[in-house]
Amino acid sequence: NGTNGAALTVTGILGIFCTLVQFYPFYRFSRVSERLQRAFTATVLSVAATVVGLLAMMLVPSDTPPYTPSTFYLLFSLIALAGVIAAYVSQFWLYTGLDDVCTERGYDFPPKRIRWCFYLSLINILLRMLPTSIFLSQIASLVLLALFIRAAYQAEKLTV
């Protein structure tokens, strides 16, 4: 269906834009720990694969023998899927890296709690059928991030 394809393309473009906005903070964090460096690298790979996959799907030739357009769509969908998988790998490295920083610097934040942001994003995949569950897990992730940032700010303010 053309409408679904257009909606997926718009969603993909918005997702890429949001990820690009994160590049600078990710780059700055990449100097803090090895896991955060891996998160930055995975984010770059994620954006590259997603952009290539989405652009290629939009530019698929309609009548190019011996391949059919559906073959091209399948190939480029797999490239875009690799970008999505890289994004989840990036989230894993990000939240485990933040957890390591929390432990190393003695933030007043429970160990391994920030990793729940990653777990909640995985739960989102499973619960896509229930729109409210996605909203609630996103709110929970934002609350966890806000609490982590507050703990980090207070700990870093004390050391300065």
Side-chain angles (χ1 to χ4, degrees):
N1 190 337
T3 306
N4 288 342
L8 287 174
T9 303
V10 169
T11 304
I13 291 169
L14 288 174
I16 290 168
F17 175 75
C18 291
T19 303
L20 288 174
V21 169
Q22 297 173 0
F23 269 1
Y24 182 69
F26 260 16
Y27 174 72
R28 299 271 318 259
F29 266 137
S30 70
R31 300 175 187 173
V32 174
S33 78
E34 182 181 337
R35 288 181 190 225
L36 293 174
Q37 171 63 41
R38 290 178 186 173
F40 177 71
T41 303
T43 300
V44 170
L45 292 174
S46 168
V47 170
T50 305
V51 166
V52 167
L54 289 173
L55 285 177
M57 280 192 282
M58 291 183 345
L59 302 174
V60 169
S62 58
D63 297 320
T64 307
Y67 305 107
T68 63
S70 62
T71 306
F72 285 113
Y73 279 119
L74 176 64
L75 174 65
F76 298 135
S77 294
L78 290 175
I79 293 171
L81 178 63
V84 171
I85 291 169
Y88 280 102
V89 169
S90 171
Q91 283 187 4
F92 171 78
W93 288 119
L94 171 67
Y95 293 121
T96 57
L98 289 177
D99 190 43
D100 290 348
V101 169
C102 179
T103 304
E104 289 170 9
R105 296 188 179 184
Y107 295 166
D108 185 22
F109 194 78
K112 301 190 190 280
R113 183 167 294 171
I114 194 66
R115 293 181 185 199
W116 272 97
C117 292
F118 173 69
Y119 302 142
L120 288 169
S121 69
L122 292 179
I123 291 169
N124 271 340
I125 294 171
L126 300 173
L127 299 178
R128 289 279 178 184
M129 301 298 177
L130 306 172
T132 55
S133 68
I134 293 170
F135 177 73
L136 292 176
S137 65
Q138 289 172 341
I139 294 294
S141 291
L142 287 174
V143 168
L144 283 172
L145 282 171
L147 292 172
F148 178 84
I149 290 169
R150 187 178 72 187
Y153 176 76
Q154 289 173 349
E156 298 295 331
K157 186 172 73 171
L158 292 175
T159 60
V160 173

